[in-house]
Amino acid sequence: RLVNGTRTFSLEAQEGSSELVPGLQTPTWGFNGPMLGPTLRAQAGERVAVDVANNLPEPTTVHWHGMHLPAAMDGGPHQPVAPDSTWKPSWQIDQPAATLWYHPHPHGNTEEHVYRGLAGMFILDDPLSQSLSLPQNYGLDDIPVIVQDKRLARDGSLITDSQGNELGMLGTTILANGVAGAVQQVETTLVRLRLLNGSTARTYDFGFDDNRGFAQIASDSGLLREPHETTRVRLSPGERAEIVVALEPGEDTLLTSYPPDLGGVAAPSAFGSADRLDILKLQAAPQLQPSSPLPARLAEFGIPESEAGVTRTFEVQDRQINGRSMDMDRIDTEVALGATEIWEVTNTHGVPHNWHVHDVQFEVLDIDGAEPPPELQGRKDTIYLEPEHTYRLIMRFEDYADPDSPYMYHCHLLLHEDQGLMGQFVVT
Ligand code: C2O
Ligand code: CU
């Protein structure tokens, strides 16, 4: 609801029960329902105000993943919402159109809260994205696809123990928007899928079962410069991609995850690198409305490397960053308001990790000095770290200074985050 230029939302975290797999009831957690949460949507320039109520038996938080906002509104581990209480963050949307999401971030418990079902999409619009000839009828030719894996016991309950896998919980029941074996009817010749890897540990390599090509048009934090024609897009936990795929009348195709190349990790098959998974069937109507062709150019952006005054180095090592595990009472990094910085991030540990920074959108300058592939040339907030490669990321810290409220950077494999692979920065 839009009240005096402020878009207001209510979220209520609650316990429930869901039919994830036909005929089986699974106890789950959700916002405003038993599983996942409503898609929130707002326009650049609008103010947003959210009532976040917690009806769970334990504290949680709600973090706005990918959002540029004051640290006290960020919903990280320093903004717990106690049971039976309500937290009321508000901020102004000041960033490009993008597919963001929200999820809990309680200290040490993020993996379990997300895995039980607490997550939703937060779509941002701006005049540029709305003026482009892109599929943008929500639910018709513009479809949110939250992909998650679960492991179910025979009685339907969620198995919440990672059973010794150091990646975390890898399940083989694959859900699209909370449903296994999901089917989406398509009525137009082009359909846009907003893919969110909302899993706690698993990396996917999305494609279609008939190997058809598609256009990737956006990465985590907004549109790419131009559509990128491809047959695959790899997303690690927390990452998003918007893709546009063409269908012929009457046909169907299956969104699939091919075995992902995890990039030189030790024992990759323990981490899902051998798994091929069916996700969502697209079923085209016998007659399709013609969509407009995609524009050749999508967005202009770019932070010049010459602007950067500071370079920092981050080594991801097992459950530590630069030799330190997360400490709620320690600020690891202090950034000056208005600064442009380069963060050089290396996974020096031979297993999958990724890297997420709160508040900012970054661009990948290079990977080991080489130009990033097209899908990594957009704006991002989360990136997969292949072992022993150095990712140089450039970002600006603008608008919000607060010496008392830190933002986080961390691995978005949520068991790793919970086990300390996280640091805190303040902007002053
Ligand atoms: Cu999506 Cu710090 O989180
Ligand atoms: Cu990790």
Side-chain angles (χ1 to χ4, degrees), residues 320-331:
Q320 302 188 314
I321 299 168
N322 295 344
R324 304 203 287 198
S325 282
M326 169 69 176
D327 180 341
M328 290 278 281
D329 299 321
R330 183 190 67 226
I331 300 302

Side-chain angles (χ1 to χ4, degrees), residues 352-354 411 413 416 421:
H353 293 290
N354 71 8
C411 178
L413 279 67
H416 298 178
L421 214 176

Side-chain angles (χ1 to χ4, degrees), residues 170-205:
L170 282 185
T172 49
T173 298
I174 307 299
L175 309 178
N177 301 328
V179 178
V183 180
Q184 173 70 41
Q185 305 297 332
V186 173
E187 311 278 343
T188 50
T189 55
L190 293 181
V191 62
R192 174 188 194 167
L193 303 179
R194 295 177 187 257
L195 302 174
L196 159 62
N197 181 351
S199 302
T200 55
R202 185 183 283 284
T203 292
Y204 300 90
D205 196 20

Side-chain angles (χ1 to χ4, degrees), residues 216-285:
Q216 184 180 347
I217 59 167
S219 49
D220 302 329
S221 314
L223 294 167
L224 300 176
R225 293 186 178 87
E226 57 200 11
H228 166 52
E229 295 295 334
T230 185
T231 56
R232 295 282 192 277
V233 56
R234 180 180 70 184
L235 297 182
S236 66
E239 288 186 284
R240 289 87 66 209
E242 296 177 29
I243 66 171
V244 176
V245 59
L247 280 93
E248 299 290 334
E251 70 169 351
D252 51 52
T253 187
L254 188 61
L255 178 69
T256 300
S257 177
Y258 286 88
D261 177 359
L262 297 173
V265 305
S269 61
F271 304 138
S273 77
D275 300 346
R276 179 178 162 157
L277 305 159
D278 295 346
I279 299 167
L280 171 68
K281 185 187 220 175
L282 300 179
Q283 194 147 55

